[in-house]
Amino acid sequence: MGGTNPYIEKPAAELPRKPYKVTFHRPDGPAIVFEVDPAKLPYGPTGLPGSILDIALNGGAAGLDLEHACGGVCACSTCHVKVVKGLESCNEPTDDELDQLEEAPDLSLNSRLGCQCVPNGSTDIEIEIPAWNKNLVKEGH
């Protein structure tokens, strides 16, 4: 499921013009480093173009499933991540995103919704995926 949410404010986001790296820190395994190619954005239909969710799910960050119950349209808080490095390169959160974040467990000052957080590529960034993220545990494996 993907698309847009017509009931929320559309965030202003500057897409990157040069490649940059995203490091995903997972609670259950080694970090995954992915180089974002601005020429290929958006990678898929989920989340804002160039968002952390778009990169995680569709960009080729192998082995990374980030929960996104609403389909990446800022209608839940399941794609909550923490930007531990490079937060200054990301778009500002809208009031709608901040309202959804209030529902997320383990909230911090560097918390963002993966579907709404779009880095501009001015610096490499590091993302921490919280341990409670449901899709990190696979059934039947």
Side-chain angles (χ1 to χ4, degrees), residues 78-99:
T78 57
C79 66
H80 167 231
V81 296
K82 294 180 182 180
V83 183
V84 295
K85 180 182 172 201
L87 184 61
E88 68 281 357
S89 73
C90 300
N91 62 323
E92 290 292 322
T94 62
D95 289 341
D96 293 312
E97 178 183 353
L98 294 172
D99 288 346

Side-chain angles (χ1 to χ4, degrees), residues 2-12 47-49 51 70-77 79 91-101 112-118:
T4 59
N5 184 342
Y7 303 105
I8 66 165
E9 172 188 355
K10 183 165 173 58
L48 291 175
S51 67
C70 73
V73 297
C74 194
C76 72
S77 62
C79 66
N91 62 323
E92 290 292 322
T94 62
D95 289 341
D96 293 312
E97 178 183 353
L98 294 172
D99 288 346
Q100 289 300 326
L101 272 171
R112 292 294 305 269
L113 293 182
C115 68
Q116 300 297 297
C117 182
V118 180

